[in-house]
Amino acid sequence: MWIDREISSKLLGLSKSAKVILLTGPRQTGKSSLLKNSFPKVQYISLDKPSTAYRAEHSGEDFLRELPSPVIIDEVQNAPSLFRHIKFFVDQYKNKKFFLTGSQNFTLMAQVSESLAGRVALLDLHSLSLLELKNHFNFKLNQKKLIELMFKGGYPEVWSKNLNIDEFFSNYVSTYIQKDIRQIINVKNLYDFERFMSLLASRVAQLLNYNKMASDIGVSSVTIKSWVNALEASNVLFVLKPFYRNLGKRLVKSPKVYFTDSGLLCHLIGFRQRDELKDSSLLGSLFENFVLGQILRAAGNKGKKANLFFYRDQWGHELDFIQPVGEKFHLYECKWNANPNVNLKIFSEIESLVGKKNILSKNIFSSVTESYSNKNVRVISLNDEKLI
């Protein structure tokens, strides 16, 4: 079963002019399937096969010369030296075109910056968005459905094949995450690393305290930082940075972490039935994680990056998301149940810091079915196709 991807129109548009397109994103989000479906007559080569990756890495020019054009090269981070040969081919031959995929942003971006700067179009593909699932399955969105979506996540195979959730994510962690982590860093104790992922999941949408986590796991804070960086490089985590420019108060500078797929997050926390979510004390954090995931998808599917930060001062006053536009700001808070008469003091606090004229909008993401405005605050339903 093929589920249409919103990013397809952007991909097809770029393919008319770009000589190199690099599609990045977590494992199993459908990168290769998207390219195969979009360009069915284009030859496909996977560098997940060790012998193929070895030849591409050590005989890159001969490897590329034997391939037709255009060509799809999957998991290109497995042959990093191939990028300089791709640069040579696109510079020397006008008819050469490459569609590339990769799962490790840090590794890929270092090679792209060095070899393909100005020659490559970049796209990020996440697991299925709420909009993509709604368009395909035509369901009505309510709180019960939102809980199901948060629990199952968006990996295409889960939805297209109706897989057992627990088995899928158990295999995903052992087959893909741990494999990618070993390629990026040397994890000496997988048991400690698994405990770290579960602990990190239980603290989603909270400030990341490296020293506290190191103490809880029994490793160094340097190790915790390297593990977070590795998960971010594998697109498993999204690290949200604090915003403290020009706000005039002592603000925290620790980041917060989110998981790019809510289903994986729920699995790592230990949820095995979706009904466990609705009574959980973590429901608010899970919803915040889900909202951020949808914002990332909405931006990525248009070929953009989500320009988001969070705000928190030394007294614990916090805003979930702040989106700067020049010197002005959109403000966003996530509330599972939005009170129609909500009056969040944090909006007023930031308004007093930057000036009322510099606040473009004040918004609350909620599980309500319809969006509405009240007292200059807009309550946004996830039914809205335009989230930000």
Side-chain angles (χ1 to χ4, degrees), residues 173 190-221 223-225 227-228 231 237 256-259 264-272 282 285-286 289:
V173 170
L190 279 178
Y191 175 69
D192 284 346
F193 184 76
E194 290 172 358
R195 288 172 56 220
F196 155 75
M197 285 199 296
S198 296
L199 185 61
L200 194 65
S202 70
R203 297 177 182 177
V204 69
Q206 298 179 26
L207 292 180
L208 182 56
N209 187 324
Y210 293 105
N211 292 328
K212 180 66 168 61
M213 289 203 71
S215 176
D216 290 342
I217 300 296
V219 298
S220 70
S221 60
T223 296
I224 295 296
K225 288 180 181 179
W227 288 352
V228 169
L231 287 175
L237 290 183
K256 297 200 296 184
V257 293
Y258 297 82
F259 282 74
L264 175 62
L265 168 63
C266 289
H267 174 81
L268 291 172
I269 291 173
F271 293 122
R272 295 299 179 262
L282 294 173
S285 296
L286 294 172
N289 188 93

Side-chain angles (χ1 to χ4, degrees), residues 79-327:
S81 70
L82 193 62
F83 284 95
R84 60 187 176 88
H85 297 294
I86 292 174
K87 173 182 179 294
F88 170 79
F89 273 79
V90 297
D91 286 348
Q92 294 295 316
Y93 305 103
K94 293 183 179 180
N95 63 334
K96 291 293 183 180
K97 186 182 290 286
F98 298 92
F99 300 106
L100 312 176
T101 82
S103 303
Q104 295 173 8
N105 266 352
F106 290 173
T107 306
L108 283 169
M109 291 308 104
Q111 297 296 331
V112 167
S113 298
E114 181 179 339
S115 302
L116 291 176
R119 298 171 176 84
V120 60
L122 301 172
L123 290 175
D124 294 327
L125 181 68
H126 292 276
S127 57
L128 292 164
S129 70
L130 170 58
L131 178 60
E132 289 166 338
L133 289 168
K134 281 180 62 181
N135 287 342
H136 185 84
F137 293 101
N138 194 29
F139 54 73
K140 291 184 178 180
L141 188 64
N142 50 35
Q143 287 189 341
K144 182 178 179 180
K145 193 65 180 180
L146 264 176
I147 286 175
E148 178 189 353
L149 292 166
M150 287 191 289
F151 177 70
K152 290 183 70 172
Y155 286 99
E157 201 173 21
V158 169
W159 289 91
S160 63
K161 297 182 179 179
N162 196 27
L163 298 179
N164 179 284
I165 303 297
D166 191 38
E167 289 181 4
F168 174 83
F169 284 114
S170 294
N171 292 333
Y172 187 85
V173 170
S174 60
T175 303
Y176 294 108
I177 294 181
Q178 292 179 4
K179 175 183 176 182
D180 282 347
I181 295 304
R182 288 194 191 101
Q183 290 180 347
I184 300 171
I185 56 174
N186 180 24
V187 177
K188 296 179 180 178
N189 190 322
L190 279 178
Y191 175 69
D192 284 346
F193 184 76
E194 290 172 358
R195 288 172 56 220
F196 155 75
M197 285 199 296
S198 296
L199 185 61
L200 194 65
S202 70
R203 297 177 182 177
V204 69
Q206 298 179 26
L207 292 180
L208 182 56
N209 187 324
Y210 293 105
N211 292 328
K212 180 66 168 61
M213 289 203 71
S215 176
D216 290 342
I217 300 296
V219 298
S220 70
S221 60
V222 173
T223 296
I224 295 296
K225 288 180 181 179
S226 71
W227 288 352
V228 169
N229 290 339
L231 287 175
E232 186 182 18
S234 298
N235 297 286
V236 174
L237 290 183
F238 181 83
V239 178
L240 184 67
K241 295 181 175 63
F243 189 86
Y244 49 86
R245 174 171 54 89
N246 299 332
L247 293 187
K249 282 193 173 185
R250 291 183 61 190
L251 307 176
V252 301
K253 296 187 179 181
S254 299
K256 297 200 296 184
V257 293
Y258 297 82
F259 282 74
T260 55
D261 187 85
S262 63
L264 175 62
L265 168 63
C266 289
H267 174 81
L268 291 172
I269 291 173
F271 293 122
R272 295 299 179 262
Q273 301 292 331
R274 66 183 180 188
D275 289 344
E276 295 171 2
L277 274 66
K278 64 181 180 181
D279 298 321
S280 171
S281 61
L282 294 173
L283 180 59
S285 296
L286 294 172
F287 180 63
E288 183 180 331
N289 188 93
F290 186 77
V291 170
L292 178 64
Q294 300 312 305
I295 294 172
L296 295 179
R297 286 156 175 76
N301 289 338
K302 295 177 176 65
K304 301 178 181 178
K305 298 287 186 182
N307 185 31
L308 286 182
F309 302 85
F310 75 93
Y311 168 93
R312 183 182 173 97
D313 64 23
Q314 62 179 337
W315 300 282
H317 304 145
E318 185 171 331
L319 181 72
D320 292 333
F321 309 128
I322 180 168
Q323 182 189 26
V325 181
E327 296 298 318

